[in-house]
């Protein structure tokens, strides 16, 4: 067995933010409302994770964000479709590499890094919280299967 804790946090109040057209003016308004710029590719800041060139996963005060967004994009509730799972302990990186081609042990995959990867046939968005933990956003329809896969894998990993 390896030292890893797998905790299902459930579904959260998450929204997908998408920018349309010329995103620069909208991104400037949003940055002012958030108190920081939207994070670049592969990064997270505060309650915002970059998913694609013009798409972010966000939580927090949606009213302020929606006002800043105006007609420059959309803010869509997606929390019901994603289960949040925290992986922590010394073995969380090794566990992510089971059933995946992603190098979770890379020193470059550090706090506030974000990656969307395929793990055991499931597309998962990962956010490194700290050296000791990672938060996984898993499609709700596949969360039970992935949780079971991780539990089995964690039980079989060498120390």
């Amino acid at each position: 067995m390896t030292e890893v804790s797998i905790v299902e946090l459930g579904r959260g109040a998450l929204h997908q933010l998408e920018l349309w057209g010329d995103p620069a003016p909208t991104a400037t308004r949003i940055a002012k409302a958030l108190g920081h710029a939207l994070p670049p590719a592969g990064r997270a800041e505060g309650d915002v994770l970059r998913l694609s060139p013009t798409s972010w996963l966000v939580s927090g005060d949606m009213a302020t964000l929606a006002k800043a967004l105006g007609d420059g994009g959309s803010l869509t509730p997606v929390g019901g479709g994603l289960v949040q799972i925290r992986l922590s302990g010394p073995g969380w990186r090794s566990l992510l590499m089971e059933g995946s081609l992603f190098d979770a042990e890379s020193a470059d995959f550090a706090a506030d890094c974000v990656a969307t990867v395929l793990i055991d046939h499931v597309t998962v968005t990962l956010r490194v919280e700290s050296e000791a933990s990672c938060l996984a956003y898993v499609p709700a329809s596949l969360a039970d299967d992935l949780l079971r896969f991780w539990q089995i894998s964690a039980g079989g990993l060498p120390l």
Side-chain angles (χ1 to χ4, degrees):
M1 289 219 213
T2 191
E3 295 179 49
V4 63
S5 173
I6 304 166
V7 178
E8 182 178 346
L9 303 175
R11 300 171 194 205
L14 301 169
H15 289 72
Q16 185 163 338
L17 167 67
E18 295 186 70
L19 301 185
W20 302 326
D22 178 6
T26 305
T28 300
R29 290 192 310 271
I30 290 172
K32 186 175 180 183
L34 292 173
H36 61 80
L38 288 168
R43 301 292 301 167
E45 183 166 336
D47 294 331
V48 185
L49 290 77
R50 179 80 170 261
L51 298 177
S52 70
T54 58
S55 178
W56 293 262
L57 188 62
V58 298
S59 60
D61 181 7
M62 292 306 124
T64 301
L65 193 55
K67 185 176 178 180
L69 179 62
D71 63 358
S74 66
L75 196 54
T76 307
V78 296
L82 295 171
V83 173
Q84 298 174 67
I85 301 169
R86 177 169 288 121
L87 306 173
S88 59
W92 72 265
R93 290 177 183 274
S94 295
L95 183 63
L96 287 177
M97 293 178 54
E98 291 288 322
S100 173
L101 297 175
F102 177 66
D103 183 7
E105 293 178 334
S106 170
D108 292 333
F109 193 52
D112 287 331
C113 283
V114 174
T116 299
V117 300
L118 192 62
I119 301 174
D120 191 45
H121 79 274
V122 179
T123 302
V124 179
T125 297
L126 305 168
R127 178 187 185 167
V128 179
E129 294 180 299
S130 70
E131 186 56 37
S133 70
C134 181
L135 191 58
Y137 297 87
V138 181
S141 61
L142 299 169
D144 288 342
D145 290 339
L146 187 59
L147 273 168
R148 182 73 181 131
F149 173 78
W150 277 339
Q151 290 163 347
I152 291 168
S153 296
L157 289 172
L159 288 174

